[in-house]
Amino acid sequence: MKKNRLGSSDLFVSEIGLGCMSLGTDENQAVSLIHEALDRGVNFLDTADIYDDGRNEEIVGSALKGRRQDIILATKAGNVRVPGQSGLTWDPSKHHILSAVKESLRRLKTDYIDLYQLHGGTIEDNMEETIEAFEQLKREGVIRYYGISSIRPNVIREYVQRAQIVSVMSQYSLLDRRGEEEVYPLLAEYGINVIARGPVASGALADGRDDKAAKGFLNYSGDQITDIRHQLRPLVNEQRSMSQTAIRYALHHPAVATVIPGASSRTQLLENIGAAEAPLLTEEEYELLREMTSANLYTQHR
């Protein structure tokens, strides 16, 4: 599988990665899916400390046994689940990050993390303190590089200019093109890459998922998505399914180094990985896809 350099780092990530959040809590099944992904050329795994209350990291850690050297491992921190309370609290403090990374290392059964990411961020955060924590972890060899997972342009701009981030993870698909005009040109200017999550828009752009399409997505109604799916048909063939076409759209942008579609079944996994072998989009096809949807912009968190 093709591998792309992630920003200014020496990490070369498979263009199709694996978003581990959807793997579920059945360890045998989840480990089997991870191993199949690795056997088929995937080398980039992304998890987070809050997924299934840490259980996801534990499962990924089990899957790493004997294969750690072949994997680019990413996880995230910043959200805190308080016992007895619903929802999450936000804590980007240095104290929390230095504490959270130790727990992630324990669950992942490793002594280093290739890419440690801030799992969100607000413009009111003490960013200097947060950056100091990541830089300390780099000096100590606990993490190799760091980035942020954010859809907020104002937050992304600050980290781009103030920190040595190598990546920004954000939602990106045909139905969510908010980063294209507002963020990606800035990242390209600074040599920072995008890790694109949600390339099939929660299934709205997946084959046979009319049920997902009917629910709508962001500012698109179910009827609008149904119409987009109809327009996609001429670009779908035996070599490239609808979901693979959607994945190739996200990968076509030069700022994107890897996409991390999730998978909860072997069928989904193979469908996603198959996008690596699917024909690339021609420039004509790419422009046709762009004409089908709008370059929606962020209206909040600017």
Side-chain angles (χ1 to χ4, degrees):
M1 186 183 296
K2 180 184 178 185
K3 293 181 174 60
N4 298 315
R5 184 176 182 176
L6 192 63
S8 59
S9 76
D10 61 358
L11 305 176
F12 285 81
V13 296
S14 53
E15 64 174 358
I16 310 292
L18 179 60
C20 295
M21 184 177 68
S22 304
L23 290 173
T25 56
D26 183 321
E27 181 166 336
N28 290 334
Q29 179 179 330
V31 169
S32 177
L33 287 175
I34 293 172
H35 284 173
E36 177 136 21
L38 299 177
D39 292 341
R40 292 179 179 272
V42 170
N43 80 337
F44 182 62
L45 304 179
D46 175 79
T47 180
D49 58 3
I50 60 166
Y51 294 165
D52 295 317
D53 293 328
R55 180 63 179 144
N56 194 260
E57 283 188 330
E58 291 176 345
I59 290 172
V60 171
S62 296
L64 295 181
K65 188 175 181 180
R67 310 187 71 157
R68 179 67 183 93
Q69 69 280 2
D70 303 321
I71 296 165
I72 306 298
L73 176 62
T75 191
K76 315 180 199 72
N79 289 296
V80 183
R81 199 178 304 279
V82 180
Q85 296 183 18
S86 61
L88 300 168
T89 60
W90 177 241
D91 188 354
S93 69
K94 181 177 181 179
H95 177 269
H96 173 69
I97 291 170
L98 297 184
S99 173
V101 74
K102 293 178 182 177
E103 290 303 304
S104 286
L105 291 169
R106 178 184 61 79
R107 288 189 291 263
L108 290 164
K109 304 175 184 68
T110 186
D111 57 1
Y112 71 98
I113 293 165
D114 297 290
L115 180 68
Y116 202 37
Q117 300 160 102
L118 183 67
H119 204 174
T122 74
I123 201 67
E124 291 82 20
D125 293 344
N126 184 340
M127 295 184 188
E128 291 303 322
E129 180 182 339
T130 303
I131 294 168
E132 185 179 320
F134 283 109
E135 289 291 345
Q136 177 177 325
L137 292 175
K138 272 188 68 177
R139 290 193 301 270
E140 294 173 351
V142 176
I143 67 173
R144 295 175 67 189
Y145 299 96
Y146 66 98
I148 63 170
S149 175
S150 177
I151 60 170
R152 299 176 176 181
N154 57 354
V155 173
I156 293 171
R157 290 188 195 103
E158 291 298 320
Y159 276 95
V160 165
Q161 295 169 3
R162 297 162 65 176
Q164 300 299 310
I165 60 171
V166 298
S167 63
V168 171
M169 179 181 293
S170 64
Q171 184 168 278
Y172 181 46
S173 71
L174 264 172
L175 301 181
D176 187 357
R177 295 170 50 196
R178 291 175 292 181
E180 280 185 355
E181 302 295 331
E182 203 162 1
V183 175
Y184 295 180
L186 175 67
L187 298 182
E189 179 183 345
Y190 281 79
I192 298 166
N193 280 130
V194 174
I195 298 170
R197 61 179 178 86
V200 295
S202 297
L205 298 174
D207 303 80
R209 296 312 305 266
D210 294 336
D211 58 327
K212 294 289 188 180
K215 294 180 179 179
F217 188 82
L218 290 181
N219 58 316
Y220 291 95
S221 68
D223 288 341
Q224 287 174 315
I225 296 176
T226 297
D227 182 59
I228 290 169
R229 287 168 64 91
H230 179 74
Q231 293 180 62
L232 276 169
R233 294 295 177 192
L235 300 181
V236 174
N237 51 51
E238 292 182 359
Q239 286 76 43
R240 192 177 62 208
S241 67
M242 183 179 294
S243 59
Q244 290 168 351
T245 299
I247 289 172
R248 291 298 344 163
Y249 176 83
L251 282 169
H252 194 88
H253 197 289
V256 175
T258 181
V259 298
I260 51 167
S264 57
S265 69
R266 185 172 185 268
T267 299
Q268 288 180 339
L269 178 71
L270 297 183
E271 176 74 10
N272 295 338
I273 294 175
E277 301 298 326
L280 305 183
L281 298 176
T282 65
E283 287 303 318
E284 181 180 8
E285 289 174 327
Y286 183 65
E287 290 305 319
L288 283 172
L289 289 170
R290 286 167 59 84
E291 291 171 8
M292 292 178 194
T293 58
S294 59
N296 36 2
L297 295 176
Y298 294 96
T299 57
Q300 297 177 336
H301 310 309
R302 301 180 69 87

